[in-house]
Amino acid sequence: QQDSVTVPVVPAASDERLLVEMESPGRVRRRMRSVRSGSSAAAAPPAKLFGLLLAGDRRRDWSAVRDHVLSHPSSAAAPYYRDETPLQLALRARERTRRAEKGHRDANAEDQPGEVTRIEALEALAAADPPSLLGRRDAEGRTALHTAASSGRSAEVLRWLVDAEAELAEEACAASHPEDSAGCFEDCCRECNASLRTDHPGGALPLHLAAACPSFDLPPGDYDVSCVERALVSSLVICPVMPAILAAFESTEVVRKANPRAFWEEDCDGETPLHSSSWGGVGSLVSLLLGAAGDSS
C-alpha cells in the first residue's frame, strides 16, 4: 500500500494579483521570481517594479525605478500586498544614510553626478498613477501621506507629497468644474490626505503617525546655528543629536501645517497627536507645542 501524498493547491500563475493578496511579502518575492519566467509579458512589468522597490531598501540612486516606470507606466498602478501602491512602497524604502555613526561624514555618501533622487522616482510614479496621490488607500486605509509620515520621511519628501496632491486636485477641479473651480478646490482641500483617517491603527491621522514616529530622514545638508535658533527654543543646547531633532521638527511641521485642525483631533482610542508624540521624538513634540501655542494666540 502506497502512502498518499497531499498536493497543495496553487493559484494560477497568471493571476498575479491574487498571489499578491494571499501571500506574505517574503513569499510574494520568491514566487514572483518563478512566476516571471512563465507569465505573460503583460504581467512582468509590475512584478519587476515590485522587485526593484523591495530590493531597493537602503538605496540612494533611484534611476532603475524611474526608468522602469517611464518604460512601463501601467505598472505604477498595480497593487502590491494588501493593496499597497508602488508609490507607497517607494515611500517605505529606506535610503542609505548620508552620515556615518557618531556624527562623522561618510566619504562614500556624497551625491554622485547623474544620481536620481527619491523625489524624482516619486514624480514618475505619481505621473503614471495620479490616483495614488489623491486618496487611494491600501487595505489598512493608509494613503501615501500616511505611509510617508509613519516611515519617517524627510520634510522635503512630505512637502512634495502635500504640494503635488494640492496641484493635482486643483487641475482636476479646473477640468471638472470650470465655472466654480475655486469652490471645488476648497472642498477638495477639506478632504485632502492630511484629513483622512486610517482603519488600522484606528482613526489615526497623518499627524498622529508623524508624531509617533521615532526618527526621520536627515536632510542632505547640515543645519546652521541660525536655523536652530529659528526652529527651536533659543535655550536648547546644540548637541550631537540636534540634526535628528530638527529633522523630526521639520517633518512634523509639514504634516501639521497641511491640516492644522488635526492637532485637536482624537483617534479611536481618544488620543490626540500630542499623546502620540510620547512615542516619538523631541522635535515632533516641539512642533506640536509651538503649533498649539500659535493656534491659541
Side-chain angles (χ1 to χ4, degrees):
Q1 181 178 0
Q2 297 180 349
D3 296 336
S4 60
V5 179
T6 302
V7 180
V9 178
V10 180
S14 60
D15 194 355
E16 185 171 331
R17 178 171 180 174
L18 179 61
L19 291 173
V20 168
E21 291 178 348
M22 291 178 59
E23 298 180 341
S24 64
R27 289 191 174 184
V28 168
R29 287 194 293 268
R30 292 192 295 271
R31 187 175 293 279
M32 280 185 177
R33 284 196 290 268
S34 61
V35 168
R36 271 202 301 270
S37 60
S39 61
S40 62
K48 183 175 181 180
L49 179 59
F50 296 152
L52 289 172
L53 291 170
L54 295 170
D57 193 31
R58 300 191 66 80
R59 73 161 65 244
R60 200 172 76 251
D61 184 8
W62 292 78
S63 57
V65 173
R66 186 198 61 177
D67 294 345
H68 179 85
V69 173
L70 294 178
S71 302
H72 306 281
S74 61
S75 63
Y80 183 61
Y81 179 68
R82 298 187 62 80
D83 287 337
E84 271 191 304
T85 65
L87 183 67
Q88 288 175 297
L89 291 181
L91 289 167
R92 278 205 294 113
R94 295 175 298 170
E95 287 185 321
R96 187 180 302 113
T97 55
R98 297 176 183 272
R99 289 178 174 83
E101 295 181 357
K102 299 182 180 180
H104 297 292
R105 298 292 295 180
D106 184 357
N108 298 321
E110 300 297 332
D111 292 335
Q112 300 297 326
E115 272 191 354
V116 174
T117 64
R118 186 200 295 267
I119 288 184
E120 290 175 303
L122 295 176
E123 289 174 345
L125 288 166
D129 182 32
S132 63
L133 273 177
L134 288 178
R136 182 176 171 184
R137 299 173 182 244
D138 60 16
E140 295 182 348
R142 294 175 181 245
T143 65
L145 186 59
H146 290 100
T147 300
S150 61
S151 301
R153 297 288 76 89
S154 66
E156 182 184 15
V157 171
L158 290 167
R159 192 175 294 112
W160 175 84
L161 272 175
V162 172
D163 293 343
E165 180 197 1
E167 183 179 351
L168 192 59
E170 188 173 7
E171 292 176 357
C173 289
S176 59
H177 298 82
E179 69 285 350
D180 187 23
S181 60
C184 174
F185 183 64
E186 290 180 1
D187 294 337
C188 289
C189 289
R190 284 193 291 269
E191 296 298 326
C192 64
N193 288 341
S195 65
L196 299 180
R197 296 178 180 273
T198 62
D199 298 327
H200 178 77
L205 293 165
L207 189 57
H208 285 93
L209 301 177
C213 186
S215 62
F216 290 84
D217 293 340
L218 299 179
D222 292 322
Y223 294 101
D224 55 14
V225 176
S226 60
C227 178
V228 174
E229 293 175 346
R230 288 195 305 269
L232 300 176
V233 184
S234 59
S235 61
L236 196 60
V237 179
I238 306 299
C239 60
V241 298
M242 183 57 65
I245 294 176
L246 284 172
F249 173 83
E250 288 199 343
S251 294
T252 307
E253 280 284 278
V254 172
V255 180
R256 183 184 65 80
K257 290 179 179 179
N259 182 19
R261 293 176 299 176
F263 175 82
W264 309 102
E265 297 287 339
E266 297 179 352
D267 61 13
C268 293
D269 293 326
E271 294 188 351
T272 66
L274 191 60
H275 292 101
S276 301
S277 66
S278 63
W279 300 95
V282 175
S284 298
L285 176 62
V286 172
S287 169
L288 294 173
L289 292 177
L290 292 180
D295 292 340
S296 62
S297 60

XYZ file of all heavy atoms in Angstrom, residues 11-25 27-29 31-32 35-36 39-40 42-47 50 74-86 88 129 136-139:
388
model
N -2.642 28.735 -6.728
C -3.386 29.557 -7.677
C -2.665 29.623 -9.016
O -1.458 29.417 -9.103
C -3.429 30.931 -6.995
C -3.198 30.643 -5.562
C -2.313 29.443 -5.512
N -3.422 29.919 -10.043
C -2.839 30.012 -11.381
C -1.757 31.055 -11.419
O -1.886 32.129 -10.830
C -3.925 30.352 -12.404
N -0.662 30.747 -12.113
C 0.478 31.662 -12.138
C 0.136 32.966 -12.814
O 0.748 33.994 -12.540
C 1.650 31.004 -12.865
N -0.879 32.940 -13.707
C -1.219 34.171 -14.411
C -1.954 35.151 -13.530
O -1.978 36.346 -13.806
C -2.083 33.841 -15.635
O -3.277 33.182 -15.223
N -2.578 34.652 -12.440
C -3.324 35.540 -11.559
C -2.381 36.129 -10.523
O -2.385 35.761 -9.355
C -4.454 34.781 -10.874
C -5.452 35.744 -10.218
O -5.206 36.966 -10.229
O -6.461 35.249 -9.709
N -1.558 37.062 -10.947
C -0.505 37.596 -10.081
C -1.074 38.430 -8.944
O -0.575 38.418 -7.833
C 0.435 38.451 -10.924
C 1.641 38.950 -10.159
C 2.634 39.609 -11.084
O 2.694 39.222 -12.249
O 3.325 40.511 -10.625
N -2.193 39.133 -9.210
C -2.771 39.956 -8.153
C -3.307 39.080 -7.025
O -3.195 39.426 -5.853
C -3.885 40.825 -8.724
C -4.562 41.672 -7.651
C -5.497 42.686 -8.228
N -6.117 43.457 -7.171
C -6.900 44.484 -7.374
N -7.163 44.883 -8.602
N -7.431 45.144 -6.379
N -3.900 37.913 -7.366
C -4.389 37.007 -6.338
C -3.252 36.511 -5.465
O -3.357 36.422 -4.247
C -5.113 35.835 -6.994
C -5.683 34.771 -6.026
C -6.712 35.417 -5.119
C -6.308 33.627 -6.805
N -2.101 36.208 -6.098
C -0.935 35.771 -5.326
C -0.491 36.854 -4.370
O -0.156 36.595 -3.217
C 0.207 35.411 -6.278
C 0.004 34.148 -7.149
C 1.150 34.043 -8.139
C -0.090 32.914 -6.300
N -0.494 38.092 -4.840
C -0.036 39.208 -4.014
C -0.925 39.393 -2.809
O -0.473 39.669 -1.700
C 0.009 40.490 -4.881
C 0.203 41.711 -4.004
C 1.141 40.396 -5.888
N -2.262 39.223 -2.996
C -3.189 39.472 -1.903
C -3.173 38.342 -0.877
O -3.428 38.555 0.298
C -4.601 39.642 -2.467
C -4.767 40.931 -3.273
C -6.152 41.059 -3.869
O -6.873 40.041 -3.840
O -6.486 42.146 -4.345
N -2.882 37.090 -1.316
C -2.982 35.954 -0.415
C -1.715 35.711 0.391
O -1.774 35.204 1.506
C -3.304 34.683 -1.216
C -4.704 34.666 -1.819
S -4.980 33.179 -2.793
C -4.707 31.903 -1.564
N -0.570 36.049 -0.145
C 0.673 35.621 0.457
C 1.384 36.760 1.175
O 1.090 37.929 0.977
C 1.586 35.042 -0.619
C 0.992 33.805 -1.282
C 1.916 33.248 -2.348
O 2.797 33.981 -2.808
O 1.747 32.094 -2.710
N 2.327 36.386 2.004
C 3.141 37.354 2.710
C 4.160 37.963 1.750
O 4.436 37.385 0.693
C 3.872 36.673 3.873
O 4.775 35.709 3.364
N 4.734 39.129 2.096
C 5.710 39.753 1.195
C 6.887 38.862 0.851
O 7.359 38.859 -0.292
C 6.150 40.985 1.992
C 5.004 41.300 2.873
C 4.405 39.966 3.241
N 7.013 35.520 0.650
C 6.610 34.513 -0.329
C 6.315 35.137 -1.685
O 6.536 34.526 -2.725
C 5.385 33.759 0.178
C 5.688 32.829 1.344
C 4.524 31.927 1.627
N 4.850 30.946 2.652
C 4.013 29.986 3.034
N 2.822 29.879 2.466
N 4.377 29.132 3.969
N 5.777 36.356 -1.659
C 5.488 37.035 -2.928
C 6.769 37.245 -3.710
O 6.834 37.009 -4.916
C 4.777 38.376 -2.672
C 4.744 39.207 -3.943
C 3.364 38.140 -2.176
N 7.837 37.678 -3.013
C 9.101 37.915 -3.707
C 9.633 36.626 -4.320
O 10.106 36.620 -5.460
C 10.120 38.517 -2.739
C 9.850 39.967 -2.374
C 11.071 40.585 -1.698
N 11.309 39.978 -0.399
C 10.830 40.438 0.740
N 10.063 41.507 0.730
N 11.101 39.859 1.891
N 7.925 33.838 -5.074
C 7.059 33.306 -6.102
C 7.130 34.137 -7.378
O 7.051 33.605 -8.489
C 5.619 33.230 -5.601
C 4.688 32.510 -6.576
C 3.314 32.348 -5.972
N 3.330 31.438 -4.847
C 3.305 30.112 -4.962
N 3.331 29.550 -6.153
N 3.301 29.351 -3.896
N 7.282 35.462 -7.219
C 7.329 36.310 -8.412
C 8.549 36.013 -9.262
O 8.528 36.173 -10.475
C 7.296 37.789 -8.014
C 5.899 38.274 -7.684
S 5.849 40.032 -7.354
C 4.085 40.241 -7.096
N 7.279 33.080 -11.121
C 6.149 33.417 -11.978
C 6.605 34.207 -13.195
O 6.092 34.048 -14.291
C 5.084 34.212 -11.184
C 4.046 34.814 -12.108
C 4.421 33.303 -10.161
N 7.607 35.085 -12.996
C 8.059 35.935 -14.096
C 8.535 35.107 -15.277
O 8.362 35.488 -16.429
C 9.191 36.859 -13.627
C 8.706 38.182 -13.069
C 9.827 39.205 -13.155
N 10.998 38.795 -12.425
C 11.212 39.082 -11.146
N 10.322 39.760 -10.488
N 12.299 38.673 -10.549
N 5.173 33.708 -16.893
C 3.988 34.541 -17.039
C 4.028 35.285 -18.357
O 5.024 35.308 -19.068
C 3.893 35.530 -15.869
O 5.010 36.362 -15.871
N 2.922 35.936 -18.635
C 2.841 36.703 -19.870
C 3.663 37.961 -19.764
O 4.038 38.411 -18.676
C 1.376 37.064 -20.153
O 0.876 37.881 -19.118
N 2.698 40.891 -20.215
C 1.961 41.983 -19.578
C 2.088 41.935 -18.065
O 1.966 42.947 -17.398
C 0.484 41.906 -19.971
N 2.306 40.750 -17.492
C 2.394 40.633 -16.042
C 3.801 40.885 -15.532
O 3.995 41.081 -14.348
C 1.932 39.244 -15.612
N 4.788 40.886 -16.417
C 6.165 41.026 -15.975
C 6.503 42.419 -15.462
O 7.182 42.538 -14.448
C 7.107 40.629 -17.107
N 6.069 43.516 -16.100
C 6.464 44.834 -15.610
C 6.085 45.124 -14.165
O 6.928 45.598 -13.409
C 5.755 45.782 -16.592
C 5.645 45.005 -17.847
C 5.390 43.596 -17.402
N 4.822 44.835 -13.693
C 4.541 45.075 -12.273
C 5.420 44.249 -11.348
O 5.892 44.751 -10.321
C 3.059 44.682 -12.140
C 2.510 44.805 -13.505
C 3.614 44.420 -14.422
N 5.648 42.981 -11.692
C 6.476 42.134 -10.850
C 7.905 42.664 -10.777
O 8.531 42.651 -9.713
C 6.475 40.699 -11.385
N 7.933 45.735 -8.479
C 7.914 45.339 -7.072
C 9.294 44.865 -6.631
O 9.757 45.187 -5.534
C 6.885 44.223 -6.848
C 5.468 44.629 -7.105
C 4.530 43.692 -7.507
C 5.060 45.944 -6.950
C 3.223 44.056 -7.748
C 3.745 46.316 -7.185
C 2.825 45.374 -7.586
N 1.998 51.606 -16.817
C 0.875 50.888 -16.215
C 1.276 50.125 -14.957
O 0.427 49.826 -14.110
C 0.269 49.918 -17.236
O 1.227 48.954 -17.645
N 2.554 49.799 -14.820
C 2.991 49.050 -13.635
C 2.875 49.882 -12.362
O 2.813 49.328 -11.267
C 4.436 48.583 -13.816
O 5.318 49.689 -13.939
N 2.826 51.219 -12.498
C 2.721 52.080 -11.316
C 1.354 51.988 -10.660
O 1.195 52.430 -9.517
C 3.018 53.527 -11.700
N 0.356 51.445 -11.371
C -0.983 51.319 -10.811
C -1.264 49.924 -10.269
O -2.345 49.678 -9.729
C -2.028 51.669 -11.867
N -0.309 49.008 -10.381
C -0.533 47.633 -9.934
C -0.486 47.561 -8.409
O 0.424 48.122 -7.788
C 0.521 46.707 -10.540
N -1.452 46.896 -7.766
C -1.443 46.794 -6.305
C -0.479 45.716 -5.830
O -0.338 44.667 -6.447
C -2.889 46.429 -5.968
C -3.361 45.663 -7.163
C -2.653 46.265 -8.350
N 0.160 45.988 -4.708
C 1.045 45.020 -4.075
C 0.287 44.368 -2.917
O -0.934 44.478 -2.802
C 2.330 45.713 -3.615
C 3.369 44.795 -3.013
C 3.931 43.771 -3.760
C 3.769 44.944 -1.686
C 4.867 42.908 -3.205
C 4.700 44.098 -1.131
C 5.248 43.089 -1.893
O 6.168 42.234 -1.342
N 1.019 43.717 -2.029
C 0.441 43.031 -0.868
C -0.422 43.995 -0.061
O 0.003 45.110 0.255
C 1.573 42.466 -0.015
C 1.150 41.757 1.240
C 0.466 40.550 1.183
C 1.439 42.292 2.491
C 0.092 39.874 2.327
C 1.074 41.632 3.650
C 0.395 40.430 3.565
O 0.013 39.774 4.709
N -1.655 43.579 0.246
C -2.624 44.385 0.988
C -2.882 45.720 0.297
O -3.068 46.749 0.949
C -2.193 44.575 2.439
C -2.092 43.273 3.221
C -1.828 43.504 4.693
N -2.900 44.236 5.347
C -4.043 43.700 5.755
N -4.268 42.423 5.545
N -4.965 44.450 6.328
N -2.900 45.682 -1.030
C -3.293 46.820 -1.866
C -2.379 48.034 -1.730
O -2.792 49.154 -2.041
C -4.741 47.239 -1.564
C -5.744 46.241 -2.119
O -5.394 45.511 -3.067
O -6.884 46.186 -1.607
N -1.166 47.838 -1.284
C -0.217 48.949 -1.281
C 0.134 49.339 -2.708
O 0.297 48.491 -3.583
C 1.062 48.558 -0.534
C 1.031 48.832 0.936
C 2.413 48.676 1.561
O 2.995 47.602 1.413
O 2.887 49.632 2.187
N 0.267 50.634 -2.946
C 0.647 51.111 -4.269
C 2.170 51.134 -4.385
O 2.881 51.212 -3.368
C 0.105 52.522 -4.514
O 0.741 53.437 -3.587
C -1.402 52.579 -4.317
N 2.700 51.077 -5.617
C 4.148 51.253 -5.778
C 4.653 52.570 -5.186
O 5.782 52.632 -4.697
C 4.325 51.205 -7.297
C 3.213 50.335 -7.775
C 2.052 50.677 -6.884
N 3.579 53.918 -2.444
C 3.755 53.664 -1.013
C 4.996 52.816 -0.747
O 5.700 53.033 0.251
C 2.508 52.985 -0.445
C 1.303 53.902 -0.336
C 0.067 53.167 0.121
O -0.426 52.260 -0.551
N -0.459 53.540 1.275
N 0.392 57.171 -12.175
C -0.803 56.741 -11.449
C -1.273 57.867 -10.531
O -1.055 57.820 -9.314
C -0.507 55.478 -10.637
C -1.734 54.951 -9.905
O -2.853 55.113 -10.441
O -1.581 54.388 -8.807
N -6.025 57.380 -2.783
C -6.046 55.931 -2.944
C -5.470 55.275 -1.689
O -4.404 55.661 -1.215
C -5.236 55.523 -4.180
C -5.251 54.029 -4.448
C -4.524 53.699 -5.732
N -4.338 52.266 -5.896
C -3.657 51.710 -6.901
N -3.102 52.479 -7.829
N -3.522 50.409 -6.970
N -6.160 54.274 -1.164
C -5.792 53.674 0.120
C -5.425 52.207 -0.037
O -5.884 51.533 -0.961
C -6.957 53.786 1.108
C -7.393 55.214 1.436
C -8.659 55.137 2.280
N -9.191 56.435 2.610
C -9.274 56.924 3.851
N -8.818 56.210 4.860
N -9.789 58.101 4.087
N -4.621 51.723 0.922
C -4.329 50.293 0.968
C -5.353 49.606 1.872
O -6.349 50.215 2.278
C -2.891 50.050 1.442
C -2.630 50.605 2.839
O -3.612 50.907 3.559
O -1.458 50.742 3.219
N -5.113 48.333 2.187
C -6.083 47.567 2.975
C -6.211 48.090 4.403
O -7.208 47.787 5.073
C -5.677 46.093 2.996
